[in-house]
Amino acid sequence: MVAAVRVHKTGGPEVLTFEDIDIPAPGQGQIKIKQHACGVNFIDTYFRSGLYPSPTGMPFVAGNEGAGEIIAVGPGVSDLKVGDRVAYVVALGGYAQERLLPAERVVKMPDNISYEQAAAMMLKGMTAEYLLHRTFKVEKGSTILVHAAAGGMGGILCQWANHIGATVIGTAGSKDKAEIAKANGAHHTILYRDEDFAAKVKEITGGKLCDVVYDGIGADTFPKSLDCIRPLGMFVSFGSASGPVKAFDINILQQKGSLFATRPTLNTYAAKREDLVSIANNLFKAVGSGAVKIPVSHKYALKDAKQAHMDLEGRKTTGSIILLP
């Protein structure tokens, strides 16, 4: 038996239950890992609350990201062995001391990446990789808007885009968070609670607006985010921290300048094994070179997952959050 955090019914942070569970031996194509760190992400609250249905039914172990050491290998696995250091993003099962994983969905970690770094960055970092390089190819000279630029996701996006050579505009909810956004690489910051962020973007860019807006907030920033985008630019909605974007009249995209809009997910971009490995290796390279730093701002014991969710949803955190089994 190993300790884990399970959800028996959907709801608020109080439904996260710390308990012992049994982890069987790995089956065909599976590995078992001893986890050294587990990532905490906003998507975990979507599954916990029921906004996203559990693909494994109830009850389920929360969390979808982590890093650890392989302690057992099932039949049919040839390219991984006991002792290998691996990291992953796999829906559910993450908040546990040990877990089973499909071998094809884990990636080997280079020596210069720590377990804590990996657990703090795999979901957010691989998401940033595909957002910046695949959904919309940000280049030197691009102008981008990143909402919630002081958060774990926003911080990676700002750093990486700045390294590419883009002009980065970041929104934040307070002066303290605006300073964090600047430290993350945002050239300009906007206090979106105190200022009309669309008007401010127009002022900052001299009316040229942004090539792309990366919006992980959702309801609170839509549709005003569209007013920040140049004609033929792109709106990328990759999260719903304030609630999902409701169904809207697609003609608004025409009215705002023949805009493109997309709601991408890592699952789609990394569906193929070769794409998963490519995305992860690009992330490891960016972090290993120092171009992107992964500060682990908040660490909680596994048993304190409930508090971690309360702090995350209460906007009391910045940067990345991990649980330590």
Side-chain angles (χ1 to χ4, degrees):
M1 304 290 281
V2 300
V5 177
R6 288 210 290 182
V7 174
H8 292 264
K9 62 178 181 179
T10 58
E14 70 279 357
V15 304
L16 295 172
T17 305
F18 184 66
E19 57 191 71
D20 287 336
I21 64 170
D22 182 51
I23 306 293
Q28 181 73 28
Q30 290 185 321
I31 60 169
K32 180 190 281 192
I33 70 168
K34 176 183 179 182
Q35 302 216 97
H36 289 260
C38 317
V40 177
N41 299 284
F42 225 100
I43 194 173
D44 301 351
T45 72
Y46 301 163
F47 285 110
R48 187 211 69 218
S49 69
L51 178 63
Y52 288 1
S54 164
T56 60
M58 303 286 277
F60 63 84
V61 176
N64 63 356
E65 175 185 46
E69 176 187 355
I70 296 177
I71 57 175
V73 175
V77 178
S78 59
D79 57 342
L80 296 168
K81 64 183 186 302
V82 171
D84 281 348
R85 301 168 71 247
V86 295
Y88 68 88
V89 177
V90 174
L92 305 183
Y95 295 2
Q97 290 176 325
E98 296 178 5
R99 72 165 299 177
L100 296 177
L101 288 162
E104 66 174 12
R105 301 310 297 172
V106 305
V107 292
K108 291 183 182 180
M109 294 165 49
D111 292 340
N112 62 347
I113 301 295
S114 71
Y115 289 120
E116 292 189 4
Q117 275 183 313
M121 77 179 186
M122 293 307 293
L123 177 59
K124 291 183 284 290
M126 291 201 295
T127 297
E129 198 280 344
Y130 82 73
L131 290 177
L132 294 170
H133 297 276
R134 300 164 198 254
T135 302
F136 184 97
K137 189 168 179 58
V138 173
E139 299 174 332
K140 184 176 182 179
S142 297
T143 300
I144 75 170
L145 176 65
V146 177
H147 284 302
M153 183 69 225
I156 297 173
L157 278 171
C158 288
Q159 289 182 73
W160 209 333
N162 185 307
H163 177 69
I164 291 169
T167 296
V168 182
I169 305 171
T171 68
S174 68
K175 290 183 178 178
D176 288 345
K177 288 191 174 183
E179 289 303 314
I180 293 170
K182 288 180 181 177
N184 286 338
H187 300 93
H188 309 274
T189 56
I190 302 170
L191 300 178
Y192 72 92
R193 290 175 180 161
D194 303 329
E195 303 174 278
D196 180 333
F197 69 81
K200 195 69 177 176
V201 164
K202 187 174 183 180
E203 176 188 324
I204 290 169
T205 62
K208 293 182 180 179
L209 305 180
C210 298
D211 299 295
V212 59
V213 169
Y214 292 112
D215 191 341
I217 295 179
D220 286 356
T221 47
F222 186 85
K224 187 169 283 189
S225 286
L226 301 183
D227 293 325
C228 301
I229 307 171
R230 61 157 172 82
L232 304 181
M234 182 176 285
F235 172 69
V236 181
S237 174
F238 66 89
S240 310
S242 67
V245 173
K246 302 294 185 182
F248 64 93
D249 182 352
I250 197 169
N251 288 319
I252 194 174
L253 301 177
Q254 171 258 318
Q255 295 161 10
K256 300 291 184 182
S258 300
L259 304 181
F260 295 87
T262 183
R263 179 57 174 91
T265 69
L266 178 61
N267 285 343
T268 308
Y269 278 86
K272 296 178 180 178
R273 170 72 182 171
E274 57 265 34
D275 291 329
L276 170 68
V277 173
S278 173
I279 291 170
N281 285 343
N282 285 344
L283 172 63
F284 292 146
K285 182 178 179 181
V287 174
S289 72
V292 176
K293 294 178 173 56
I294 307 294
V296 181
S297 306
H298 305 272
K299 301 179 185 180
Y300 299 81
L302 184 62
K303 65 182 178 62
D304 295 326
K306 184 185 304 183
Q307 187 63 51
H309 275 227
M310 292 172 63
D311 291 348
L312 178 62
E313 292 180 294
R315 306 290 177 89
K316 295 179 180 178
T317 64
T318 59
S320 295
I321 306 169
I322 63 170
L323 302 176
L324 298 175

